Amino acid sequence: MANAKRAFIFDMDGTIVDNMAFHTRSWLEFFARRGKEYDPDAFFRETAGAQGREILRERLGPDIPDDEIAVLAQEKDALYREMYRPHRAAIQGFEAFVSAADAQGVALAVATSAPPKNIVFTLDELDLRRHFATVVGAADVKQGKPHPDVFLKAAEQLGIDPADCIVFEDAPMGVEAARRAGMRAAVITSTLPAEDFKEFDNVIAIVGDYDEIAVDELLARL
């Protein structure tokens, strides 16, 4: 990585693993236990890419103490892990794609809104962390997407200029965060259709999975 001049930065949920439906289901169950009902599609579109603590404050009120927010977030995430555990798997073609990128000298990172336990649940328990030079999560930045903080921190840790980074995302808030970071984006349509990203001028590829795109094709678009 020391001589890398370009980087691929991956969101995790919905981009490395196809798990966003389980996040939505766990959020809806969490709020249903508190007498709050939301439309699943609208909830996903409004929250995908945001940090859990941001979602909790928006839906439950801004005056809840930080320690209570932390406990509530742990409850929701435990529910998510219980729901998703039997289904965990990398998206089709992912490991072959990152191996090909690494072989071509591309620096690799994860930049996610997930908390530490969920990162371990996905990257470590699926043995995927070994592919990445650095992993940046919700605990490492103050603001979640669409703020660019998590992507900029990943680029900084890799030592790569933002203009030489391609972000892999599945949600509009994540693509907007990449745009604000000055980065191009490749979209994985694991949870939303291609037309949901038509307004973004930083999107250079839209695919269903990693078998549909080659490292060379993406690098050429930088």
Side-chain angles (χ1 to χ4, degrees), residues 77-164:
D77 285 329
L79 185 59
Y80 150 73
R81 292 191 295 270
E82 178 184 351
M83 289 179 174
Y84 184 53
R85 181 170 281 109
H87 308 279
R88 279 182 300 178
I91 288 177
Q92 179 68 32
F94 174 76
E95 290 206 70
F97 180 83
V98 292
S99 295
D102 180 64
Q104 294 191 43
V106 178
L108 303 172
V110 171
T112 173
S113 297
K117 285 185 179 180
N118 286 358
I119 293 173
V120 169
F121 175 74
T122 297
L123 297 186
D124 293 292
E125 295 186 21
L126 288 177
D127 192 27
L128 297 174
R129 190 186 290 263
R130 59 191 168 86
H131 293 295
F132 304 103
T134 190
V135 175
V136 181
D140 302 310
V141 295
K142 291 184 177 180
Q143 300 181 106
K145 305 166 189 176
H147 298 284
D149 305 31
V150 70
F151 293 135
L152 290 173
K153 190 173 185 68
E156 179 184 6
Q157 291 186 356
L158 292 174
I160 307 293
D161 189 281
D164 294 319

Side-chain angles (χ1 to χ4, degrees), residues 20 23-24 26-28 30-31 36 38 43-62 64 69 72-73 76-77 113 144-145 173:
M20 290 306 294
H23 269 301
T24 299
S26 60
W27 274 120
L28 295 179
F30 172 88
F31 284 119
K36 294 179 177 289
Y38 297 106
F43 184 90
F44 171 79
R45 291 172 185 273
E46 292 166 4
T47 62
Q51 295 179 358
R53 62 177 182 260
E54 295 171 331
I55 296 171
L56 288 165
R57 288 203 179 281
E58 180 181 352
R59 305 278 167 162
L60 298 179
I64 301 176
I69 287 289
L72 293 171
K76 179 269 166 190
D77 285 329
S113 297
K145 305 166 189 176
M173 274 207 287

Side-chain angles (χ1 to χ4, degrees), residues 2 15 22 29 49 51 58 92 133 145 156 167 189 200 209:
T15 306
F22 295 93
E29 173 63 22
Q51 295 179 358
E58 180 181 352
Q92 179 68 32
K145 305 166 189 176
E156 179 184 6
V167 165
T189 57
F200 292 99
D209 61 44

